[in-house]
Amino acid sequence: MKVYITRKLPEIAEKHLKANKLDVSSFKYDRAISKKELIKNAKDADALITLLSDKIDKEIIDNLPKCKVIANYAVGYNNIDTVYAKSKNIVVTNTPDILTDSTADLAMAILLTCSRRIIEGETYVRAGKFDGWKPNLLLGYEFRNKTFGIIGAGRIGQATAVRAKAFGMKIIYYNRSQKENFEKEQNAKKVSLNQLLKTSDFISVHLPLTPQTFHLLNKENLKLLKKNAIIINTARGEVVDENELIKLLKTNKIYAAGFDVYENEPAINKELLKLKNVLVLPHIGSATIEARNAMAKLVADNVISVLKHKKGVTPV
Ligand code: DGY
């Protein structure tokens, strides 16, 4: 049976698939595959391995007559029309859990970078401006006793809160359901979204993108943020109305923002790049060797499991 991969992955994926006697091919260029190329190259595939940047819509699914599984190399799967795939008896899988720690680590790194003005400091030294210690050079905010607001207390949100707690922060969260164990273990308190935005010093977004979470943070509620607030997003750009957030950053209505994801990814709003109180990263939440290898293994396990047993290991 044939497996098509839309971009080269860590080699463990192909090795594992081939060891299970599958006929594997992948897109041979180091760039995102186009829709036309995907349809042409994957037309006789029994399994498709996709990236979060591949938009798998009805047209693509209709052109995959033999496909039994679409295994997404990501925990988020908003790039796939899962309802339509299901209607065609295609199993869709993702890669949960194994990228939780790497993404939570990055969230804290972004937060520290923003609160302690690390990029400004680095740029300053490289520009040859450092001429000795100064009492008020690049003052930022420390973590202890700050309120950390988690928007979306799933696996990654909770793991980020554990780190924030270790830094001495008080944890509040906004989530549809109550997370009792999380509350007990981290002394976390569930609050409304508005309450969280009004009272948090640091806010970290960890919601998946769905029609309900699109622009959940918008013109009205972003105005509630405190003047010293730092907001970071390692989830999906579209959860936050980027233009409204930029307005607040431009007029220093909040302290800073850290972005690993963007509303129109991979395009980046030029205004963001002009702002000093903004940190911009290229969607590297899961970019650790450990996570990416584990994701490659899991994506292959999912394909093998569906092709052999008609059931994914981590179906969505
Ligand atoms: C995901 O997996 O959804 C992340 O955004 C990228 O690894």
Side-chain angles (χ1 to χ4, degrees):
M1 283 200 265
K2 292 188 176 170
V3 183
Y4 188 73
I5 310 178
T6 62
R7 195 159 181 169
K8 250 207 157 17
L9 298 181
E11 64 180 22
I12 186 168
E14 286 205 25
K15 259 196 188 158
H16 193 39
L17 291 164
K18 283 177 183 162
N20 279 271
K21 311 223 166 347
L22 295 167
D23 173 0
V24 188
S25 58
S26 59
F27 188 52
K28 58 180 185 218
Y29 305 104
D30 190 20
R31 62 167 170 80
I33 194 167
S34 69
K35 189 174 198 174
K36 211 168 142 198
E37 289 166 324
L38 202 161
I39 288 176
K40 181 167 170 258
N41 298 358
K43 63 179 183 306
D44 57 351
D46 297 276
L48 180 66
I49 295 182
T50 53
L51 309 185
L52 60 91
S53 46
D54 303 320
K55 193 169 165 29
I56 308 300
D57 58 13
K58 287 195 177 68
E59 189 186 350
I60 292 189
I61 293 172
D62 280 338
N63 279 283
L64 301 172
K66 292 172 69 188
C67 187
K68 294 154 196 71
V69 49
I70 299 172
N72 212 33
Y73 184 68
V75 65
Y77 49 87
N78 52 287
N79 56 308
I80 301 174
D81 187 338
T82 52
V83 175
Y84 195 63
K86 205 170 178 185
S87 78
K88 296 278 170 181
N89 289 322
I90 298 175
V91 178
V92 178
T93 65
N94 68 342
T95 59
D97 294 322
I98 49 196
L99 47 77
T100 297
D101 285 325
S102 57
T103 308
D105 287 350
L106 188 81
M108 294 314 286
I110 294 175
L111 193 57
L112 264 175
T113 306
C114 292
S115 70
R116 298 304 302 274
R117 305 174 62 179
I118 287 172
I119 303 291
E120 280 176 84
E122 230 262 347
T123 312
Y124 180 84
V125 173
R126 283 184 192 272
K129 292 184 182 164
F130 182 49
D131 56 359
W133 190 88
K134 288 183 190 123
N136 53 9
L137 177 66
L138 292 173
L139 303 189
Y141 285 105
E142 63 186 52
F143 279 2
R144 183 155 299 280
N145 293 330
K146 295 295 188 300
T147 298
F148 189 69
I150 292 281
I151 299 183
R155 283 175 290 252
I156 300 174
Q158 291 192 27
T160 307
V162 170
R163 287 150 174 80
K165 179 90 187 322
F167 276 103
M169 293 192 238
K170 178 182 151 204
I171 312 296
I172 58 175
Y173 72 101
Y174 167 74
N175 201 65
R176 270 191 314 196
S177 58
Q178 186 137 9
K179 301 281 181 177
E180 280 164 18
N181 287 344
F182 174 56
E183 290 184 5
K184 268 188 220 133
E185 285 160 17
Q186 306 308 323
N187 200 15
K189 190 169 166 245
K190 185 170 185 278
V191 293
S192 70
L193 182 58
N194 283 0
Q195 186 67 16
L196 183 143
L197 295 171
K198 256 192 247 169
T199 54
S200 299
D201 300 294
F202 307 134
I203 293 126
S204 195
V205 179
H206 296 285
L207 286 171
L209 174 64
T210 64
Q212 292 74 36
T213 64
F214 178 81
H215 280 192
L216 183 76
L217 300 188
N218 51 42
K219 186 174 177 172
E220 282 68 45
N221 59 23
L222 282 169
K223 280 192 188 137
L224 301 172
L225 289 171
K226 284 161 72 166
K227 191 161 163 53
N228 70 311
I230 299 177
I231 180 162
I232 65 168
N233 190 356
T234 52
R236 286 293 180 270
E238 297 94 322
V239 175
V240 183
D241 185 333
E242 210 168 82
N243 284 321
E244 293 303 326
L245 184 56
I246 289 172
K247 282 185 201 159
L248 299 179
L249 288 159
K250 259 187 176 169
T251 50
N252 292 313
K253 295 262 170 31
I254 64 171
Y255 188 70
F259 295 77
D260 187 41
V261 291
Y262 304 88
E263 195 168 338
N264 298 304
E265 211 172 303
I268 298 197
N269 189 320
K270 298 263 181 315
E271 293 302 306
L272 274 182
L273 305 179
K274 294 183 194 158
L275 295 169
K276 268 201 178 157
N277 51 355
V278 157
L279 173 73
V280 282
L281 291 180
H283 202 151
I284 52 169
S286 67
T288 60
I289 293 158
E290 294 90 337
R292 291 286 164 85
N293 280 333
M295 288 162 70
K297 168 81 172 37
L298 181 55
V299 93
D301 278 340
N302 268 309
V303 166
I304 294 160
S305 176
V306 176
L307 294 184
K308 285 196 177 157
H309 312 295
K310 297 192 166 54
K311 244 179 95 173
V313 182
T314 48
V316 303

